[in-house]
């Protein structure tokens, strides 16, 4: 049973969460003009967030992932919107979610948010698997090394994400050291990112009585990062001193989130997007170090497959050498295990731990 007061007790719907575009100083690159090699050299290798324009121009999803098309083609299909207090997945039919998003969701503090893995389910054999054919992974992110672990053994890594204003994800670090990309087809997303190593006690403090949701974070934690409380000779805000990055993601834009960057995301209006996590030759060292202890069987399989392929493939031979060089590195601190939690607004519906992720 859902308590309406529990969904709306903070009246977040009465607040304005939009940000001015001028605070977004993240570099933007044109997918049509910047090569993969340039992207890797200037951003991925340096572990720097960047927004990519025009990477989705040719996607069929621009027409097949509209609300009307989703209602017509997938209205009776179930999509994951969260977990209950016992960590059981909660699903809604697309038609019911769309109705909720246009009505009850407009008032809820942190509305329900589709964060669906797009995997075939026994009770729903067709499910949304067909959606996978509506987009193509940008070439920047095509080197997905976790594919070597096979589809059934690899961690969850791709999701359809859809929700109304104030839905989103609480602050987290994507697990296993993976990086992520998020391509937005409709609406606007507000992001806040912090460099690796930023003290958790500062950016992720206890939030009781609020839930660990994006809107709660922006309402109660974010304001302190705009305060200028440093030494007299330092006029920067706390956020500026920490290297905080703010992004206003617009339709058609794809954001690259490097591994190890804590981030929080909130939808500013109804959004439809796809996101994937990945392990590439560039971040392989870090991902392997994170994986070999958190998921030892997966880490061992990744190591063995790369060693095997390295016997005949020069590129994998280089990766094999990379891994051998970090074998003696001690265990890294674990990253967030709930990196892609979807939003919910009820005291009886908690965030969706969509990833094992991003």
């Amino acid at each position: 049973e859902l308590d309406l007061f529990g969904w709306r007790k903070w009246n977040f719907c009465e607040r304005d969460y939009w940000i001015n575009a001028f605070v977004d100083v993240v570099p933007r690159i044109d997918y049509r003009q910047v090569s993969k090699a340039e992207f890797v050299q200037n951003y991925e290798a340096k572990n720097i967030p960047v927004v990519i324009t025009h990477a989705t121009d040719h996607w069929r999803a621009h027409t097949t992932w509209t609300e009307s098309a989703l209602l017509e083609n997938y209205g009776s299909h179930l999509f994951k919107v969260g977990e209950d207090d016992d960590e059981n997945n909660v699903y809604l039919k697309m038609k019911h979610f769309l109705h909720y998003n246009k009505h009850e969701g407009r008032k809820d503090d942190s509305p329900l948010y589709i964060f669906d893995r797009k995997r075939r389910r026994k009770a729903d054999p067709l499910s949304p698997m067909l959606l996978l054919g509506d987009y193509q992974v940008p070439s920047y992110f095509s080197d997905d090394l976790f594919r070597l672990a096979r589809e059934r053994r690899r961690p969850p890594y791709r999701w359809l994400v859809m929700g109304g204003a104030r839905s989103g994800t609480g602050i987290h670090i994507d697990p296993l050291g993976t990086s992520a990309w998020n391509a937005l087809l409709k609406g606007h997303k507000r992001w806040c990112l912090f460099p690796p190593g930023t003290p958790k006690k500062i950016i992720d403090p206890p939030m009781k009585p609020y839930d660990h949701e994006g809107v709660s974070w922006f309402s109660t934690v974010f304001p302190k990062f705009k305060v200028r409380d440093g030494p007299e000779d330092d006029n920067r805000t706390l956020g500026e001193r920490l290297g905080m990055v703010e992004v206003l993601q617009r339709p058609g834009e794809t954001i690259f989130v490097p591994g190890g960057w804590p981030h929080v995301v909130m939808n500013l209006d109804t959004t439809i997007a796809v996101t994937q996590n990945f392990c590439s030759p560039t971040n392989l060292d870090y991902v392997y170090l994170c994986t070999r202890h958190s998921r030892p069987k997966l880490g061992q399989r990744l190591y063995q497959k790369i060693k095997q392929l390295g016997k005949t493939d020069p590129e994998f031979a280089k990766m094999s050498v990379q891994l051998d060089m970090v074998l003696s590195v001690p265990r890294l601190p674990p990253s967030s295990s709930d990196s892609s939690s979807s939003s919910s607004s009820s005291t009886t519906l908690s965030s969706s731990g969509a990833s094992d992720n991003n």
Side-chain angles (χ1 to χ4, degrees):
E1 183 177 354
L2 301 179
D3 178 7
L4 183 60
F5 178 73
W7 290 69
R8 303 177 183 178
K9 62 182 177 181
W10 305 115
N11 293 318
F12 288 153
C13 65
E14 298 178 1
R15 303 190 188 187
D16 182 5
Y17 293 97
W18 281 80
I19 58 174
N20 291 321
F22 74 85
V23 305
D24 178 353
V25 295
V26 171
R28 278 170 166 74
I29 59 175
D30 190 326
Y31 184 71
R32 302 168 299 181
Q33 300 176 4
V34 177
S35 69
K36 179 177 179 178
E38 291 174 305
F39 163 76
V40 171
Q41 177 180 353
N42 296 326
Y43 300 100
E44 187 181 13
K46 295 179 180 179
N47 216 41
I48 297 175
V50 65
V51 173
I52 305 149
T53 61
H54 298 288
T56 70
D57 286 357
H58 60 291
W59 286 10
R60 191 166 65 231
H62 281 288
T63 57
T64 59
W65 289 17
T66 64
E67 291 168 272
S68 58
L70 290 171
L71 177 61
E72 178 180 356
N73 297 317
Y74 300 98
S76 296
H77 289 291
L78 294 170
F79 290 78
K80 183 179 178 181
V81 296
E83 293 179 351
D84 61 21
D85 291 340
D86 297 321
E87 298 186 354
N88 297 311
N89 292 341
V90 176
Y91 297 92
L92 280 180
K93 290 184 177 181
M94 176 61 76
K95 61 184 177 183
H96 296 150
F97 174 81
L98 291 173
H99 181 274
Y100 162 83
N101 191 52
K102 291 182 178 180
H103 298 88
E104 297 92 338
R106 292 183 178 273
K107 294 292 185 180
D108 290 347
D109 286 332
S110 182
L112 295 173
Y113 185 35
I114 287 179
F115 216 112
D116 195 278
R117 289 167 51 181
K118 304 191 197 73
R119 285 195 174 182
R120 191 172 271 114
R121 290 183 283 271
K122 292 181 180 179
D124 194 9
L126 295 178
S127 77
M129 285 291 288
L130 294 175
L131 292 169
L132 297 177
D134 294 337
Y135 75 93
Q136 296 78 43
V137 175
S139 62
Y140 295 174
F141 316 116
S142 59
D143 295 321
D144 178 16
L145 296 178
F146 270 145
R147 74 182 187 278
L148 301 176
R150 299 180 183 176
E151 191 71 20
R152 292 185 178 183
R153 295 185 179 183
R154 66 178 302 169
Y157 68 102
R158 61 188 176 196
W159 297 266
L160 165 70
V161 286
M162 179 178 180
R166 298 179 307 285
S167 63
T169 60
I171 192 161
H172 62 276
I173 299 173
D174 291 344
L176 304 182
T178 55
S179 299
W181 58 270
N182 182 301
L184 184 61
L185 300 176
K186 172 185 172 66
H188 301 77
K189 288 179 179 286
R190 180 180 180 180
W191 295 72
C192 193
L193 306 92
F194 295 88
T198 305
K200 181 178 179 180
K201 64 181 181 180
I202 298 178
I203 60 176
D204 191 14
M207 294 176 59
K208 291 183 178 180
Y210 299 95
D211 294 328
H212 193 267
E213 304 286 0
V215 65
S216 301
W217 189 92
F218 277 109
S219 300
T220 64
V221 179
F222 175 78
K224 71 180 181 182
F225 297 110
K226 292 298 185 179
V227 176
R228 303 180 189 277
D229 59 354
E232 292 184 3
D233 59 348
D234 190 344
N235 194 41
R236 294 177 299 169
T237 65
L238 175 60
E240 289 170 338
R241 298 201 305 274
L242 291 173
M244 179 181 74
V245 174
E246 294 187 72
V247 179
L248 176 60
Q249 186 183 13
R250 302 169 178 85
E253 292 185 334
T254 301
I255 185 171
F256 164 66
V257 181
W261 280 70
H263 53 284
V264 57
V265 193
M266 180 173 63
N267 297 318
L268 297 175
D269 47 15
T270 295
T271 65
I272 301 175
V274 61
T275 185
Q276 290 195 187
N277 282 64
F278 64 95
C279 170
S280 72
T282 305
N283 67 0
L284 174 60
D285 298 6
Y286 182 54
V287 172
Y288 173 68
L289 289 173
C290 293
T291 303
R292 68 176 181 177
H293 291 293
S294 299
R295 296 286 299 276
K297 290 184 179 180
L298 176 63
Q300 183 65 15
R301 180 170 181 80
L302 181 64
Y303 176 81
Q304 291 175 343
K305 289 294 292 185
I306 289 176
K307 295 290 288 186
Q308 177 184 351
L309 293 170
K311 295 177 181 179
T312 56
D313 187 307
E315 293 301 316
F316 280 98
K318 294 178 183 178
M319 295 181 221
S320 177
V321 173
Q322 284 180 249
L323 294 182
D324 285 339
M325 292 177 65
V326 300
L327 285 178
S328 61
V329 175
R331 179 173 183 173
L332 294 180
S335 60
S336 168
S337 62
D338 188 17
S339 68
S340 292
S341 61
S342 72
S343 174
S344 94
S345 52
S346 166
T347 55
T348 58
L349 285 177
S350 61
S351 294
S352 158
S355 323
D356 184 36
N357 248 204
N358 227 273

